[in-house]
Amino acid sequence: MESTVTKLDLQGTALDVARVGSGQALVLLHGGGGPLIGSPFVTRLSERLEVLEPVHPGFGGSPMPSKFNSVEDLAYLYLDMLDMLDLKDVVLVGTSLGGWVAAELAVRNSTRISKLVLINAIGIKPGGRDTRDIPDIFAESPSEVERLLWHDPALRPSSRNLSDAQWQMAAANRQALGAYVWEPYMHNPKLPQRLHRIKAPTLLLWGQEDKLLVPDYGRAYQKLIAGARFDLVANAGHCPQIEQPDVTAQLIIDFI
């Protein structure tokens, strides 16, 4: 199934939104690895739903707006997107960074959201001041980051045979990720006291072998959202949508 791209201008910010499939709208907010359109995970979802995936500004070769420097900026951008496209009864799904953005969006205004799915979402700090809840992926060696992220490194996207342009895009993605999550590192201290505002039925999906955000981190997230459900995905690390795409997609479809 071929995807199409809608180009939006939201208060002067250019945004590309890829669309594939038909049916109820599922808005997918990607993580730091970049967009997922074209992946087996999205292909599986698009058999039942219309998947819309915006590319976070600064990712995928898009420019980083000069005034963007926080996840809050993305949350308000996507609230504007939902309004401009007049989307209703939306299933909002976010992975990692995108999960944090989805949570920030939902605590502000969830009137257009029917279901919320957070996949290995960052955004909170369950431990005390001196507890390192999330390892510093910008300071660790590439091999250690790989160990933290993947249950089976053989399933991670290959970096072999990338063109110069693709390497530059990957570097820009990493730079944009740093701009959004750096200070405070990968969390909003005020988010935990706001998560009670989420009224949409919520599912947290977590890779059972995630060593970046261990499952207890996800359970701490779950406890802050009234009535939220928590499910583990076996044989998956931080990216179950990549390591176990069919299982992860089916869990979302069953939840809907």
Side-chain angles (χ1 to χ4, degrees):
M1 195 177 298
E2 292 293 327
S3 63
T4 61
V5 176
T6 301
K7 294 184 177 293
L8 303 179
D9 184 332
L10 298 166
Q11 306 299 319
T13 298
L15 184 69
D16 285 350
V17 183
R19 309 174 76 143
V20 63
S22 60
Q24 184 178 2
L26 182 149
V27 171
L28 175 62
L29 303 180
H30 65 78
L36 292 163
I37 283 287
S39 70
F41 172 65
V42 172
T43 298
R44 179 73 177 83
L45 289 173
S46 68
E47 294 171 358
R48 297 284 297 275
L49 303 148
E50 181 184 20
V51 180
L52 298 90
E53 184 180 30
V55 179
H56 305 328
F59 284 81
S62 63
M64 185 77 172
S66 60
K67 295 182 179 180
F68 273 45
N69 59 10
S70 72
V71 165
E72 182 180 56
D73 295 318
L74 292 175
Y76 281 109
L77 178 73
Y78 295 137
L79 283 169
D80 286 343
M81 180 195 77
L82 294 176
D83 287 345
M84 177 173 279
L85 297 176
D86 194 25
L87 297 175
K88 300 179 178 70
D89 196 29
V90 170
V91 179
L92 182 62
V93 179
T95 70
S96 192
L97 166 64
W100 180 6
V101 178
E104 294 278 5
L105 185 159
V107 301
R108 285 164 171 78
N109 187 339
S110 59
T111 56
R112 293 183 180 273
I113 301 170
S114 64
K115 298 283 175 63
L116 176 64
V117 182
L118 307 179
I119 303 176
N120 293 73
I122 59 176
I124 64 171
K125 189 181 187 308
R129 185 187 66 179
D130 298 325
T131 302
R132 176 175 287 185
D133 297 285
I134 309 173
D136 187 346
I137 62 171
F138 299 101
E140 299 287 358
S141 67
S143 60
E144 176 60 10
V145 172
E146 183 176 287
R147 185 190 73 81
L148 293 169
L149 290 177
W150 302 98
H151 166 64
D152 182 358
L155 296 177
R156 66 178 174 82
S158 175
S159 59
R160 294 181 179 179
N161 302 319
L162 291 183
S163 66
D164 288 346
Q166 289 170 319
W167 277 114
Q168 290 171 3
M169 185 180 296
N173 287 352
R174 182 177 173 84
Q175 185 175 7
L177 175 64
Y180 287 123
V181 308
W182 183 248
E183 190 175 4
Y185 179 67
M186 289 205 183
H187 77 286
N188 175 1
K190 295 182 179 181
L191 181 58
Q193 69 197 42
R194 296 171 177 169
L195 288 171
H196 72 278
R197 291 178 50 81
I198 294 176
K199 306 304 180 186
T202 301
L203 170 65
L204 288 96
L205 292 179
W206 227 261
Q208 190 169 13
E209 307 302 327
D210 189 357
K211 294 178 282 293
L212 180 70
L213 302 177
V214 297
D216 279 349
Y217 182 102
R219 293 187 180 97
Y221 228 128
Q222 175 204 13
K223 291 176 182 177
L224 295 168
I225 303 173
R229 194 173 107 193
F230 181 85
D231 282 344
L232 287 171
V233 180
N235 300 316
H238 187 66
C239 303
Q241 71 278 5
I242 294 176
E243 292 195 273
Q244 298 294 334
D246 288 340
V247 172
T248 305
Q250 190 60 51
L251 285 168
I252 294 172
I253 291 168
D254 291 346
F255 178 63
I256 297 169

